[in-house]
Amino acid sequence: MAAPQFSPYITFPGNAGEAFEYYREVFGGELQIMTYDDFPDLSGFPFTPPPGSIAHAQLHGGLVTLAGGDALTAPGEELPPLESDVYSYLIGLESVGQGRALIEKLTSTGAELVMPFEPAPWGDHYGQVKDRFGVLWAIVVGGQQER
């Protein structure tokens, strides 16, 4: 039996390809992308996916393991919104320097600092950044680290 795996799956409103290329640049790792154009037969689908839309993408081997694709809707339906404040993806790092560097990398490429990366009441360094796609990332470094 294979070991259990967990990977967040994000359904993007038509820009999954752009988002996953961005995440590869920021987080590193190996990116695999499959578009609906790669399928030889889409006759079982209830409608034709837009050309170039992402059926499945997976990023692994860097700071995160992440999967996703483009949302598909029937003609005339709206794509679901991605931005939400009810979830975040937590990235644990080994040093405050790494945390600050990741936040700088995100904010220098269009992310918004939501919560400063500072010592938290529970003893960790913690901060939040919402990237340019609307995804909320929480950054944490455990323990009493030096600033």
PDB file of all heavy atoms in Angstrom, residues 5-10 12 16-17 19-21 23-24 28-35 54-62 64-70:
ATOM      1  N   GLN A   5      -0.787  10.581   1.161  1.00  0.00           N
ATOM      2  CA  GLN A   5      -0.259  11.860   0.698  1.00  0.00           C
ATOM      3  C   GLN A   5      -1.318  12.928   0.896  1.00  0.00           C
ATOM      4  O   GLN A   5      -2.507  12.645   0.825  1.00  0.00           O
ATOM      5  CB  GLN A   5       0.100  11.790  -0.782  1.00  0.00           C
ATOM      6  CG  GLN A   5       1.208  10.834  -1.090  1.00  0.00           C
ATOM      7  CD  GLN A   5       1.527  10.825  -2.585  1.00  0.00           C
ATOM      8  OE1 GLN A   5       0.955  11.571  -3.368  1.00  0.00           O
ATOM      9  NE2 GLN A   5       2.438   9.982  -2.970  1.00  0.00           N
ATOM     10  N   PHE A   6      -0.860  14.131   1.148  1.00  0.00           N
ATOM     11  CA  PHE A   6      -1.767  15.260   1.245  1.00  0.00           C
ATOM     12  C   PHE A   6      -1.230  16.374   0.362  1.00  0.00           C
ATOM     13  O   PHE A   6      -0.045  16.700   0.412  1.00  0.00           O
ATOM     14  CB  PHE A   6      -1.871  15.771   2.685  1.00  0.00           C
ATOM     15  CG  PHE A   6      -2.656  17.057   2.780  1.00  0.00           C
ATOM     16  CD1 PHE A   6      -4.038  17.032   2.754  1.00  0.00           C
ATOM     17  CD2 PHE A   6      -2.012  18.276   2.869  1.00  0.00           C
ATOM     18  CE1 PHE A   6      -4.772  18.206   2.818  1.00  0.00           C
ATOM     19  CE2 PHE A   6      -2.728  19.452   2.935  1.00  0.00           C
ATOM     20  CZ  PHE A   6      -4.117  19.420   2.920  1.00  0.00           C
ATOM     21  N   SER A   7      -2.085  16.935  -0.442  1.00  0.00           N
ATOM     22  CA  SER A   7      -1.709  18.062  -1.267  1.00  0.00           C
ATOM     23  C   SER A   7      -2.920  18.959  -1.444  1.00  0.00           C
ATOM     24  O   SER A   7      -3.960  18.503  -1.916  1.00  0.00           O
ATOM     25  CB  SER A   7      -1.229  17.572  -2.644  1.00  0.00           C
ATOM     26  OG  SER A   7      -0.961  18.670  -3.477  1.00  0.00           O
ATOM     27  N   PRO A   8      -2.813  20.233  -1.071  1.00  0.00           N
ATOM     28  CA  PRO A   8      -3.918  21.142  -1.364  1.00  0.00           C
ATOM     29  C   PRO A   8      -4.164  21.178  -2.867  1.00  0.00           C
ATOM     30  O   PRO A   8      -3.226  21.089  -3.662  1.00  0.00           O
ATOM     31  CB  PRO A   8      -3.419  22.497  -0.875  1.00  0.00           C
ATOM     32  CG  PRO A   8      -2.320  22.188   0.074  1.00  0.00           C
ATOM     33  CD  PRO A   8      -1.712  20.896  -0.387  1.00  0.00           C
ATOM     34  N   TYR A   9      -5.418  21.311  -3.257  1.00  0.00           N
ATOM     35  CA  TYR A   9      -5.799  21.391  -4.663  1.00  0.00           C
ATOM     36  C   TYR A   9      -6.568  22.692  -4.844  1.00  0.00           C
ATOM     37  O   TYR A   9      -7.593  22.903  -4.204  1.00  0.00           O
ATOM     38  CB  TYR A   9      -6.683  20.201  -5.051  1.00  0.00           C
ATOM     39  CG  TYR A   9      -6.895  20.081  -6.540  1.00  0.00           C
ATOM     40  CD1 TYR A   9      -6.131  19.209  -7.296  1.00  0.00           C
ATOM     41  CD2 TYR A   9      -7.840  20.849  -7.193  1.00  0.00           C
ATOM     42  CE1 TYR A   9      -6.304  19.091  -8.662  1.00  0.00           C
ATOM     43  CE2 TYR A   9      -8.021  20.757  -8.557  1.00  0.00           C
ATOM     44  CZ  TYR A   9      -7.254  19.875  -9.290  1.00  0.00           C
ATOM     45  OH  TYR A   9      -7.427  19.771 -10.648  1.00  0.00           O
ATOM     46  N   ILE A  10      -6.053  23.562  -5.710  1.00  0.00           N
ATOM     47  CA  ILE A  10      -6.673  24.857  -5.936  1.00  0.00           C
ATOM     48  C   ILE A  10      -7.256  24.882  -7.341  1.00  0.00           C
ATOM     49  O   ILE A  10      -6.561  24.584  -8.312  1.00  0.00           O
ATOM     50  CB  ILE A  10      -5.658  26.009  -5.781  1.00  0.00           C
ATOM     51  CG1 ILE A  10      -4.997  25.966  -4.399  1.00  0.00           C
ATOM     52  CG2 ILE A  10      -6.352  27.358  -6.010  1.00  0.00           C
ATOM     53  CD1 ILE A  10      -3.890  26.989  -4.224  1.00  0.00           C
ATOM     54  N   PHE A  12      -8.404  27.243 -10.105  1.00  0.00           N
ATOM     55  CA  PHE A  12      -8.224  28.634 -10.513  1.00  0.00           C
ATOM     56  C   PHE A  12      -9.268  29.041 -11.553  1.00  0.00           C
ATOM     57  O   PHE A  12      -9.723  28.210 -12.333  1.00  0.00           O
ATOM     58  CB  PHE A  12      -6.819  28.836 -11.091  1.00  0.00           C
ATOM     59  CG  PHE A  12      -5.734  28.751 -10.062  1.00  0.00           C
ATOM     60  CD1 PHE A  12      -5.168  27.536  -9.727  1.00  0.00           C
ATOM     61  CD2 PHE A  12      -5.292  29.890  -9.408  1.00  0.00           C
ATOM     62  CE1 PHE A  12      -4.174  27.451  -8.765  1.00  0.00           C
ATOM     63  CE2 PHE A  12      -4.301  29.810  -8.444  1.00  0.00           C
ATOM     64  CZ  PHE A  12      -3.739  28.589  -8.125  1.00  0.00           C
ATOM     65  N   ALA A  16      -4.717  28.972 -14.133  1.00  0.00           N
ATOM     66  CA  ALA A  16      -3.901  27.980 -13.413  1.00  0.00           C
ATOM     67  C   ALA A  16      -2.500  27.862 -13.994  1.00  0.00           C
ATOM     68  O   ALA A  16      -1.528  27.716 -13.244  1.00  0.00           O
ATOM     69  CB  ALA A  16      -4.590  26.614 -13.415  1.00  0.00           C
ATOM     70  N   GLY A  17      -2.363  27.916 -15.301  1.00  0.00           N
ATOM     71  CA  GLY A  17      -1.042  27.810 -15.912  1.00  0.00           C
ATOM     72  C   GLY A  17      -0.119  28.915 -15.434  1.00  0.00           C
ATOM     73  O   GLY A  17       1.025  28.666 -15.042  1.00  0.00           O
ATOM     74  N   ALA A  19      -0.490  30.725 -12.690  1.00  0.00           N
ATOM     75  CA  ALA A  19      -0.285  30.582 -11.244  1.00  0.00           C
ATOM     76  C   ALA A  19       0.763  29.521 -10.935  1.00  0.00           C
ATOM     77  O   ALA A  19       1.655  29.746 -10.112  1.00  0.00           O
ATOM     78  CB  ALA A  19      -1.608  30.239 -10.562  1.00  0.00           C
ATOM     79  N   PHE A  20       0.677  28.374 -11.581  1.00  0.00           N
ATOM     80  CA  PHE A  20       1.628  27.310 -11.274  1.00  0.00           C
ATOM     81  C   PHE A  20       3.043  27.621 -11.743  1.00  0.00           C
ATOM     82  O   PHE A  20       4.014  27.242 -11.084  1.00  0.00           O
ATOM     83  CB  PHE A  20       1.130  25.959 -11.808  1.00  0.00           C
ATOM     84  CG  PHE A  20       0.225  25.272 -10.835  1.00  0.00           C
ATOM     85  CD1 PHE A  20      -1.136  25.485 -10.875  1.00  0.00           C
ATOM     86  CD2 PHE A  20       0.743  24.455  -9.841  1.00  0.00           C
ATOM     87  CE1 PHE A  20      -1.981  24.887  -9.956  1.00  0.00           C
ATOM     88  CE2 PHE A  20      -0.083  23.856  -8.904  1.00  0.00           C
ATOM     89  CZ  PHE A  20      -1.450  24.067  -8.973  1.00  0.00           C
ATOM     90  N   GLU A  21       3.189  28.323 -12.851  1.00  0.00           N
ATOM     91  CA  GLU A  21       4.530  28.763 -13.265  1.00  0.00           C
ATOM     92  C   GLU A  21       5.093  29.732 -12.221  1.00  0.00           C
ATOM     93  O   GLU A  21       6.272  29.670 -11.874  1.00  0.00           O
ATOM     94  CB  GLU A  21       4.487  29.420 -14.645  1.00  0.00           C
ATOM     95  CG  GLU A  21       4.215  28.456 -15.784  1.00  0.00           C
ATOM     96  CD  GLU A  21       5.338  27.459 -16.044  1.00  0.00           C
ATOM     97  OE1 GLU A  21       6.474  27.657 -15.563  1.00  0.00           O
ATOM     98  OE2 GLU A  21       5.071  26.460 -16.738  1.00  0.00           O
ATOM     99  N   TYR A  23       4.267  29.827  -8.991  1.00  0.00           N
ATOM    100  CA  TYR A  23       4.589  29.073  -7.780  1.00  0.00           C
ATOM    101  C   TYR A  23       5.892  28.289  -7.936  1.00  0.00           C
ATOM    102  O   TYR A  23       6.659  28.155  -6.987  1.00  0.00           O
ATOM    103  CB  TYR A  23       3.439  28.142  -7.389  1.00  0.00           C
ATOM    104  CG  TYR A  23       2.197  28.886  -6.955  1.00  0.00           C
ATOM    105  CD1 TYR A  23       0.935  28.421  -7.286  1.00  0.00           C
ATOM    106  CD2 TYR A  23       2.277  30.069  -6.225  1.00  0.00           C
ATOM    107  CE1 TYR A  23      -0.207  29.107  -6.894  1.00  0.00           C
ATOM    108  CE2 TYR A  23       1.145  30.762  -5.839  1.00  0.00           C
ATOM    109  CZ  TYR A  23      -0.089  30.278  -6.174  1.00  0.00           C
ATOM    110  OH  TYR A  23      -1.218  30.955  -5.788  1.00  0.00           O
ATOM    111  N   ARG A  24       6.156  27.801  -9.137  1.00  0.00           N
ATOM    112  CA  ARG A  24       7.438  27.118  -9.350  1.00  0.00           C
ATOM    113  C   ARG A  24       8.597  28.094  -9.152  1.00  0.00           C
ATOM    114  O   ARG A  24       9.603  27.746  -8.536  1.00  0.00           O
ATOM    115  CB  ARG A  24       7.493  26.496 -10.742  1.00  0.00           C
ATOM    116  CG  ARG A  24       8.874  25.877 -11.009  1.00  0.00           C
ATOM    117  CD  ARG A  24       9.001  25.105 -12.268  1.00  0.00           C
ATOM    118  NE  ARG A  24       8.553  25.830 -13.450  1.00  0.00           N
ATOM    119  CZ  ARG A  24       8.510  25.280 -14.645  1.00  0.00           C
ATOM    120  NH1 ARG A  24       8.855  24.025 -14.817  1.00  0.00           N
ATOM    121  NH2 ARG A  24       8.103  25.986 -15.669  1.00  0.00           N
ATOM    122  N   GLY A  28      10.030  26.787  -5.879  1.00  0.00           N
ATOM    123  CA  GLY A  28      10.909  25.757  -6.421  1.00  0.00           C
ATOM    124  C   GLY A  28      10.146  24.462  -6.648  1.00  0.00           C
ATOM    125  O   GLY A  28       8.933  24.389  -6.452  1.00  0.00           O
ATOM    126  N   GLY A  29      10.861  23.451  -7.069  1.00  0.00           N
ATOM    127  CA  GLY A  29      10.260  22.147  -7.279  1.00  0.00           C
ATOM    128  C   GLY A  29      10.038  21.832  -8.744  1.00  0.00           C
ATOM    129  O   GLY A  29      10.370  22.611  -9.642  1.00  0.00           O
ATOM    130  N   GLU A  30       9.471  20.674  -8.960  1.00  0.00           N
ATOM    131  CA  GLU A  30       9.195  20.180 -10.307  1.00  0.00           C
ATOM    132  C   GLU A  30       7.716  20.366 -10.609  1.00  0.00           C
ATOM    133  O   GLU A  30       6.856  20.009  -9.801  1.00  0.00           O
ATOM    134  CB  GLU A  30       9.548  18.698 -10.393  1.00  0.00           C
ATOM    135  CG  GLU A  30       9.310  18.092 -11.744  1.00  0.00           C
ATOM    136  CD  GLU A  30       9.620  16.612 -11.773  1.00  0.00           C
ATOM    137  OE1 GLU A  30      10.521  16.168 -11.030  1.00  0.00           O
ATOM    138  OE2 GLU A  30       8.947  15.896 -12.521  1.00  0.00           O
ATOM    139  N   LEU A  31       7.428  20.921 -11.769  1.00  0.00           N
ATOM    140  CA  LEU A  31       6.054  21.203 -12.163  1.00  0.00           C
ATOM    141  C   LEU A  31       5.644  20.293 -13.314  1.00  0.00           C
ATOM    142  O   LEU A  31       6.362  20.181 -14.306  1.00  0.00           O
ATOM    143  CB  LEU A  31       5.917  22.667 -12.592  1.00  0.00           C
ATOM    144  CG  LEU A  31       4.555  23.122 -13.095  1.00  0.00           C
ATOM    145  CD1 LEU A  31       3.481  22.936 -12.022  1.00  0.00           C
ATOM    146  CD2 LEU A  31       4.627  24.573 -13.554  1.00  0.00           C
ATOM    147  N   GLN A  32       4.509  19.659 -13.154  1.00  0.00           N
ATOM    148  CA  GLN A  32       3.909  18.843 -14.211  1.00  0.00           C
ATOM    149  C   GLN A  32       2.557  19.459 -14.541  1.00  0.00           C
ATOM    150  O   GLN A  32       1.753  19.708 -13.635  1.00  0.00           O
ATOM    151  CB  GLN A  32       3.737  17.405 -13.760  1.00  0.00           C
ATOM    152  CG  GLN A  32       5.055  16.735 -13.429  1.00  0.00           C
ATOM    153  CD  GLN A  32       4.862  15.402 -12.736  1.00  0.00           C
ATOM    154  OE1 GLN A  32       3.869  15.172 -12.059  1.00  0.00           O
ATOM    155  NE2 GLN A  32       5.836  14.527 -12.903  1.00  0.00           N
ATOM    156  N   ILE A  33       2.309  19.697 -15.829  1.00  0.00           N
ATOM    157  CA  ILE A  33       1.051  20.301 -16.266  1.00  0.00           C
ATOM    158  C   ILE A  33       0.454  19.467 -17.392  1.00  0.00           C
ATOM    159  O   ILE A  33       1.159  19.074 -18.325  1.00  0.00           O
ATOM    160  CB  ILE A  33       1.252  21.750 -16.753  1.00  0.00           C
ATOM    161  CG1 ILE A  33       1.665  22.655 -15.591  1.00  0.00           C
ATOM    162  CG2 ILE A  33      -0.007  22.281 -17.415  1.00  0.00           C
ATOM    163  CD1 ILE A  33       1.855  24.102 -15.963  1.00  0.00           C
ATOM    164  N   MET A  34      -0.852  19.230 -17.286  1.00  0.00           N
ATOM    165  CA  MET A  34      -1.593  18.549 -18.340  1.00  0.00           C
ATOM    166  C   MET A  34      -2.780  19.443 -18.707  1.00  0.00           C
ATOM    167  O   MET A  34      -3.563  19.832 -17.839  1.00  0.00           O
ATOM    168  CB  MET A  34      -2.107  17.192 -17.866  1.00  0.00           C
ATOM    169  CG  MET A  34      -2.933  16.466 -18.917  1.00  0.00           C
ATOM    170  SD  MET A  34      -3.598  14.902 -18.290  1.00  0.00           S
ATOM    171  CE  MET A  34      -2.096  13.957 -18.155  1.00  0.00           C
ATOM    172  N   THR A  35      -2.890  19.778 -19.973  1.00  0.00           N
ATOM    173  CA  THR A  35      -4.025  20.581 -20.427  1.00  0.00           C
ATOM    174  C   THR A  35      -5.109  19.660 -20.979  1.00  0.00           C
ATOM    175  O   THR A  35      -4.853  18.491 -21.286  1.00  0.00           O
ATOM    176  CB  THR A  35      -3.615  21.571 -21.531  1.00  0.00           C
ATOM    177  OG1 THR A  35      -3.275  20.851 -22.708  1.00  0.00           O
ATOM    178  CG2 THR A  35      -2.441  22.446 -21.084  1.00  0.00           C
ATOM    179  N   ILE A  54      -6.071  24.227 -18.096  1.00  0.00           N
ATOM    180  CA  ILE A  54      -5.307  23.236 -17.338  1.00  0.00           C
ATOM    181  C   ILE A  54      -6.244  22.212 -16.716  1.00  0.00           C
ATOM    182  O   ILE A  54      -7.120  22.553 -15.925  1.00  0.00           O
ATOM    183  CB  ILE A  54      -4.473  23.913 -16.226  1.00  0.00           C
ATOM    184  CG1 ILE A  54      -3.558  24.995 -16.815  1.00  0.00           C
ATOM    185  CG2 ILE A  54      -3.687  22.880 -15.427  1.00  0.00           C
ATOM    186  CD1 ILE A  54      -2.552  24.511 -17.822  1.00  0.00           C
ATOM    187  N   ALA A  55      -6.038  20.942 -17.088  1.00  0.00           N
ATOM    188  CA  ALA A  55      -6.804  19.843 -16.503  1.00  0.00           C
ATOM    189  C   ALA A  55      -6.228  19.485 -15.138  1.00  0.00           C
ATOM    190  O   ALA A  55      -6.964  19.237 -14.183  1.00  0.00           O
ATOM    191  CB  ALA A  55      -6.778  18.625 -17.420  1.00  0.00           C
ATOM    192  N   HIS A  56      -4.897  19.459 -15.040  1.00  0.00           N
ATOM    193  CA  HIS A  56      -4.253  19.104 -13.778  1.00  0.00           C
ATOM    194  C   HIS A  56      -2.817  19.615 -13.786  1.00  0.00           C
ATOM    195  O   HIS A  56      -2.099  19.459 -14.771  1.00  0.00           O
ATOM    196  CB  HIS A  56      -4.245  17.591 -13.566  1.00  0.00           C
ATOM    197  CG  HIS A  56      -3.602  17.171 -12.289  1.00  0.00           C
ATOM    198  ND1 HIS A  56      -4.202  17.373 -11.067  1.00  0.00           N
ATOM    199  CD2 HIS A  56      -2.414  16.589 -12.032  1.00  0.00           C
ATOM    200  CE1 HIS A  56      -3.404  16.910 -10.105  1.00  0.00           C
ATOM    201  NE2 HIS A  56      -2.303  16.433 -10.672  1.00  0.00           N
ATOM    202  N   ALA A  57      -2.426  20.226 -12.688  1.00  0.00           N
ATOM    203  CA  ALA A  57      -1.046  20.647 -12.481  1.00  0.00           C
ATOM    204  C   ALA A  57      -0.618  20.171 -11.105  1.00  0.00           C
ATOM    205  O   ALA A  57      -1.433  20.117 -10.180  1.00  0.00           O
ATOM    206  CB  ALA A  57      -0.917  22.164 -12.576  1.00  0.00           C
ATOM    207  N   GLN A  58       0.657  19.805 -10.999  1.00  0.00           N
ATOM    208  CA  GLN A  58       1.187  19.412  -9.700  1.00  0.00           C
ATOM    209  C   GLN A  58       2.608  19.937  -9.559  1.00  0.00           C
ATOM    210  O   GLN A  58       3.435  19.767 -10.450  1.00  0.00           O
ATOM    211  CB  GLN A  58       1.176  17.907  -9.502  1.00  0.00           C
ATOM    212  CG  GLN A  58       1.605  17.529  -8.091  1.00  0.00           C
ATOM    213  CD  GLN A  58       1.340  16.079  -7.747  1.00  0.00           C
ATOM    214  OE1 GLN A  58       1.054  15.264  -8.617  1.00  0.00           O
ATOM    215  NE2 GLN A  58       1.421  15.758  -6.482  1.00  0.00           N
ATOM    216  N   LEU A  59       2.837  20.593  -8.416  1.00  0.00           N
ATOM    217  CA  LEU A  59       4.157  21.110  -8.073  1.00  0.00           C
ATOM    218  C   LEU A  59       4.631  20.357  -6.838  1.00  0.00           C
ATOM    219  O   LEU A  59       3.918  20.305  -5.829  1.00  0.00           O
ATOM    220  CB  LEU A  59       4.067  22.617  -7.768  1.00  0.00           C
ATOM    221  CG  LEU A  59       5.358  23.313  -7.363  1.00  0.00           C
ATOM    222  CD1 LEU A  59       6.371  23.288  -8.505  1.00  0.00           C
ATOM    223  CD2 LEU A  59       5.072  24.750  -6.943  1.00  0.00           C
ATOM    224  N   HIS A  60       5.816  19.767  -6.937  1.00  0.00           N
ATOM    225  CA  HIS A  60       6.348  19.057  -5.772  1.00  0.00           C
ATOM    226  C   HIS A  60       7.870  19.117  -5.788  1.00  0.00           C
ATOM    227  O   HIS A  60       8.485  19.371  -6.807  1.00  0.00           O
ATOM    228  CB  HIS A  60       5.859  17.605  -5.723  1.00  0.00           C
ATOM    229  CG  HIS A  60       6.133  16.834  -6.972  1.00  0.00           C
ATOM    230  ND1 HIS A  60       7.303  16.168  -7.210  1.00  0.00           N
ATOM    231  CD2 HIS A  60       5.370  16.637  -8.071  1.00  0.00           C
ATOM    232  CE1 HIS A  60       7.261  15.596  -8.389  1.00  0.00           C
ATOM    233  NE2 HIS A  60       6.099  15.873  -8.944  1.00  0.00           N
ATOM    234  N   GLY A  61       8.464  18.928  -4.619  1.00  0.00           N
ATOM    235  CA  GLY A  61       9.911  18.890  -4.511  1.00  0.00           C
ATOM    236  C   GLY A  61      10.550  20.176  -4.033  1.00  0.00           C
ATOM    237  O   GLY A  61      11.739  20.218  -3.785  1.00  0.00           O
ATOM    238  N   GLY A  62       9.789  21.248  -3.884  1.00  0.00           N
ATOM    239  CA  GLY A  62      10.318  22.505  -3.360  1.00  0.00           C
ATOM    240  C   GLY A  62       9.778  22.729  -1.961  1.00  0.00           C
ATOM    241  O   GLY A  62       9.677  21.785  -1.165  1.00  0.00           O
ATOM    242  N   VAL A  64       6.699  23.494  -1.217  1.00  0.00           N
ATOM    243  CA  VAL A  64       5.310  23.056  -1.097  1.00  0.00           C
ATOM    244  C   VAL A  64       5.033  21.909  -2.060  1.00  0.00           C
ATOM    245  O   VAL A  64       5.731  21.723  -3.045  1.00  0.00           O
ATOM    246  CB  VAL A  64       4.310  24.207  -1.396  1.00  0.00           C
ATOM    247  CG1 VAL A  64       4.501  25.366  -0.442  1.00  0.00           C
ATOM    248  CG2 VAL A  64       4.401  24.671  -2.830  1.00  0.00           C
ATOM    249  N   THR A  65       3.997  21.161  -1.753  1.00  0.00           N
ATOM    250  CA  THR A  65       3.376  20.246  -2.702  1.00  0.00           C
ATOM    251  C   THR A  65       1.987  20.808  -2.939  1.00  0.00           C
ATOM    252  O   THR A  65       1.235  21.033  -1.996  1.00  0.00           O
ATOM    253  CB  THR A  65       3.298  18.814  -2.136  1.00  0.00           C
ATOM    254  OG1 THR A  65       4.631  18.340  -1.935  1.00  0.00           O
ATOM    255  CG2 THR A  65       2.575  17.892  -3.089  1.00  0.00           C
ATOM    256  N   LEU A  66       1.682  21.074  -4.193  1.00  0.00           N
ATOM    257  CA  LEU A  66       0.453  21.770  -4.528  1.00  0.00           C
ATOM    258  C   LEU A  66      -0.082  21.227  -5.840  1.00  0.00           C
ATOM    259  O   LEU A  66       0.687  20.948  -6.754  1.00  0.00           O
ATOM    260  CB  LEU A  66       0.765  23.268  -4.669  1.00  0.00           C
ATOM    261  CG  LEU A  66      -0.365  24.236  -4.887  1.00  0.00           C
ATOM    262  CD1 LEU A  66      -1.300  24.257  -3.689  1.00  0.00           C
ATOM    263  CD2 LEU A  66       0.204  25.631  -5.126  1.00  0.00           C
ATOM    264  N   ALA A  67      -1.385  21.055  -5.915  1.00  0.00           N
ATOM    265  CA  ALA A  67      -2.018  20.593  -7.149  1.00  0.00           C
ATOM    266  C   ALA A  67      -3.180  21.516  -7.481  1.00  0.00           C
ATOM    267  O   ALA A  67      -3.669  22.252  -6.620  1.00  0.00           O
ATOM    268  CB  ALA A  67      -2.502  19.153  -6.989  1.00  0.00           C
ATOM    269  N   GLY A  68      -3.631  21.469  -8.719  1.00  0.00           N
ATOM    270  CA  GLY A  68      -4.764  22.291  -9.103  1.00  0.00           C
ATOM    271  C   GLY A  68      -5.018  22.248 -10.586  1.00  0.00           C
ATOM    272  O   GLY A  68      -4.422  21.472 -11.325  1.00  0.00           O
ATOM    273  N   GLY A  69      -5.900  23.114 -11.006  1.00  0.00           N
ATOM    274  CA  GLY A  69      -6.262  23.215 -12.408  1.00  0.00           C
ATOM    275  C   GLY A  69      -7.199  24.379 -12.607  1.00  0.00           C
ATOM    276  O   GLY A  69      -7.467  25.154 -11.686  1.00  0.00           O
ATOM    277  N   ASP A  70      -7.703  24.502 -13.835  1.00  0.00           N
ATOM    278  CA  ASP A  70      -8.653  25.557 -14.148  1.00  0.00           C
ATOM    279  C   ASP A  70     -10.069  25.098 -13.852  1.00  0.00           C
ATOM    280  O   ASP A  70     -10.437  23.960 -14.132  1.00  0.00           O
ATOM    281  CB  ASP A  70      -8.558  25.942 -15.630  1.00  0.00           C
ATOM    282  CG  ASP A  70      -7.350  26.805 -15.923  1.00  0.00           C
ATOM    283  OD1 ASP A  70      -7.058  27.704 -15.104  1.00  0.00           O
ATOM    284  OD2 ASP A  70      -6.708  26.596 -16.962  1.00  0.00           O
TER     285      ASP A  70
END
